[in-house]
Amino acid sequence: MDISYIINELGEDRENYFNAIAPPIIQTSNFAFKKVDDMRKAFEDEYSTYLYSRGLNPTVDILCMKLAALDNAEDCLVFNSGAAAIFAAVLANVKSGDHIVSVDRPYTWAQKMFNDILPRFNVAVTYIDGTNIENFERAILPNTTLIYLESPNSWDFALQDLKAVAELARAENIITICDNSYCTPLYQRPIEFGIDLVLQSATKYIGGHSDTVAGVLSGSSKMIKRIFDSEYMNIGSGIQPFNAWLLIRGLRTLPARLERISASTRKVVSFLKQHPKVESVIFPFDEDFPQLQLAKQQMQGACGLLSFIMKAEDIHQIETFCESLKHILMAVSWGGHESLIIPRCSSLPASSFDLTNSEHRMLRLYVGLENPDYLIQDLQQAFDHT
Ligand SMILES: Cc1ncc(COP(=O)(O)O)c(C=O)c1O
């Protein structure tokens, strides 16, 4: 399906709402019935009709059709956060006594779920370096039911060979989940490599304006229906109609924003790579990236997130650099209009900063929609302050 068709037309039924270009926000909690039998059918299968907006809602449906098509998936659910999408996807595929193989350092709240919540229900996790397929083979146990991937990782951009992992998992009857937040479906479609469930934080590029928190989970109709009937309805963490409408609006400009951000990022990467105060730059489409070949094989592009290691003599130099930035904001997340930075040392007690550990000198930069020269000047003046 053509991306322009998906973004501009799919799921939209304008004749039913006064030929309005923008779809209505059906801000209702419930829907009325004229016939008892229709209500009975809705109770029997809430995925078949509008009953109550914790389940289906027409504005959310328009969004779901578009997002599933972008992922090249049969169906999808949209949650009120990416973390909720992760929680539902994992919970739906484990039971007491099961084992999960996860890539090292997945998104923080996935990790917290694996470490703090699942052990209470007798589900164990083994973390592996996912850059090597043999590590998956070695980690799989007879009770492994799930493999959890994040490719690329959102800090060091480590990739997994999605096709190889999917083949291995299928042969062992193991479900695969991939966090695709870095790429969005425009730059990577894990379902096409045989991954069962793909999720993304729609808070990032899909929303695109740093004003909505949301998450997408796509997969087969059967799997999505099963998750809707249980975890989605029970946790009650579906997206609200207004936020769904904001995401539809965000989708309209997604290709244009990604194109601009990707081009600006290349310029910023080149600037950082030649800067005397930068030790190295980590970016999946950079010629020095160790998994560049795999990146090019399975990704159509790399967007605005990159990390760099600063040549600092102490933690204060890194702090001064960040605090001297005039336009690039120090904040979590990414994917919005505004450029952002996070120093890795902000998640450490200052007393445990270790200069010899290059990770402690790492900064993650998100390149937004500003003019790249404006951002480069900001970075330069901040380096000049250190
Ligand atoms: C890689 C990744 N996955 C998932 C999430 C969770 O998404 P949300 O913040 O929308 O819950 C995030 C959030 O930053 C993320 O960075």
Side-chain angles (χ1 to χ4, degrees), residues 72-88:
N72 206 359
E74 287 173 2
D75 203 358
C76 87
L77 293 169
V78 186
F79 294 79
N80 66 9
S81 71
I86 296 172
F87 198 82

Side-chain angles (χ1 to χ4, degrees), residues 70-71 148-152 162 177-191 197-201 205 216 298-299 334:
L70 287 177
D71 271 326
Y148 188 87
L149 310 171
E150 184 182 320
S151 187
L162 297 179
I177 300 177
C178 180
D179 184 335
N180 195 36
S181 301
Y182 180 91
C183 279
T184 84
L186 263 60
Y187 284 172
Q188 181 169 268
R189 284 173 296 283
I191 299 246
L197 283 168
V198 57
L199 62 91
Q200 61 177 316
S201 166
Y205 292 112
V216 189
Q298 60 189 23
M299 293 160 59
W334 81 85

Side-chain angles (χ1 to χ4, degrees), residues 308-327:
F308 63 96
I309 312 287
M310 215 175 130
K311 278 185 198 159
E313 274 150 32
D314 52 38
I315 192 170
H316 302 296
Q317 261 186 326
I318 297 173
E319 289 174 356
T320 304
F321 171 78
C322 291
E323 290 164 15
S324 303
L325 289 163
K326 291 193 172 120
H327 307 299

Side-chain angles (χ1 to χ4, degrees), residues 29 46 56 104 111 115 152 165 169 202 215 272 308 311 323 349 369:
S29 55
E46 208 167 329
L56 296 185
D104 273 337
Q111 211 168 326
N115 294 348
V165 178
L272 288 170
F308 63 96
K311 278 185 198 159
E323 290 164 15
L369 289 166

Side-chain angles (χ1 to χ4, degrees), residues 86-134:
I86 296 172
F87 198 82
V90 173
L91 202 63
N93 287 294
V94 289
K95 60 180 186 325
S96 174
D98 284 350
H99 172 251
I100 298 172
V101 174
S102 167
V103 287
D104 273 337
R105 298 192 292 181
Y107 172 62
T108 330
W109 289 95
Q111 211 168 326
K112 281 184 198 271
M113 176 189 195
F114 294 148
N115 294 348
D116 303 339
I117 299 181
L118 294 186
R120 286 171 17 209
F121 302 95
N122 191 27
V123 175
V125 62
T126 302
Y127 294 103
I128 56 155
D129 168 4
T131 58
N132 184 343
I133 188 72
E134 283 158 19

Side-chain angles (χ1 to χ4, degrees), residues 111-353:
Q111 211 168 326
K112 281 184 198 271
M113 176 189 195
F114 294 148
N115 294 348
D116 303 339
I117 299 181
L118 294 186
R120 286 171 17 209
F121 302 95
N122 191 27
V123 175
V125 62
T126 302
Y127 294 103
I128 56 155
D129 168 4
T131 58
N132 184 343
I133 188 72
E134 283 158 19
N135 294 341
F136 287 95
E137 288 161 3
R138 273 195 288 270
I140 290 172
L141 300 174
N143 58 340
T144 305
T145 53
L146 192 65
I147 294 182
Y148 188 87
L149 310 171
E150 184 182 320
S151 187
N153 175 280
S154 65
W155 270 87
D156 61 14
F157 313 111
L159 307 179
Q160 300 95 56
D161 183 333
L162 297 179
K163 192 161 176 282
V165 178
E167 274 168 14
L168 172 70
R170 288 258 156 112
E172 303 276 346
N173 224 4
I174 296 169
I175 298 288
T176 43
I177 300 177
C178 180
D179 184 335
N180 195 36
S181 301
Y182 180 91
C183 279
T184 84
L186 263 60
Y187 284 172
Q188 181 169 268
R189 284 173 296 283
I191 299 246
E192 292 175 0
F193 297 112
I195 297 296
D196 295 302
L197 283 168
V198 57
L199 62 91
Q200 61 177 316
S201 166
T203 315
K204 315 298 189 230
Y205 292 112
I206 307 290
H209 295 76
S210 300
D211 53 13
T212 319
V213 176
V216 189
L217 178 65
S218 297
S220 68
S221 306
K222 195 171 159 208
M223 175 78 85
I224 293 297
K225 165 91 166 79
R226 179 164 73 74
I227 296 175
F228 174 88
D229 284 341
S230 180
E231 289 75 16
Y232 184 87
M233 287 301 294
N234 252 307
I235 303 169
S237 53
I239 193 166
Q240 293 296 304
F242 178 61
N243 282 0
W245 184 88
L246 284 173
L247 294 186
I248 294 169
R249 189 170 68 157
L251 276 178
R252 309 284 198 210
T253 56
L254 179 66
R257 285 185 286 111
L258 288 193
E259 205 179 306
R260 157 102 179 168
I261 288 168
S262 304
S264 302
T265 306
R266 283 196 293 276
K267 275 192 154 187
V268 173
V269 166
S270 302
F271 164 76
L272 288 170
K273 282 193 79 175
Q274 56 73 48
H275 200 280
K277 290 189 176 158
V278 172
E279 190 172 291
S280 59
V281 176
I282 313 166
F283 180 64
F285 268 28
D286 181 64
E287 59 192 19
D288 296 325
F289 185 68
Q291 293 178 288
L292 177 65
Q293 206 187 336
L294 179 61
K296 294 237 155 137
Q297 200 177 299
Q298 60 189 23
M299 293 160 59
Q300 279 79 55
C303 322
L305 264 196
L306 62 107
S307 292
F308 63 96
I309 312 287
M310 215 175 130
K311 278 185 198 159
E313 274 150 32
D314 52 38
I315 192 170
H316 302 296
Q317 261 186 326
I318 297 173
E319 289 174 356
T320 304
F321 171 78
C322 291
E323 290 164 15
S324 303
L325 289 163
K326 291 193 172 120
H327 307 299
I328 298 170
L329 304 169
M330 203 179 353
V332 295
S333 200
W334 81 85
H337 54 92
E338 75 296 4
S339 294
L340 302 169
I341 198 154
I342 315 179
R344 192 66 158 171
C345 63
S346 64
S347 57
L348 301 169
S351 56
S352 60
F353 180 80

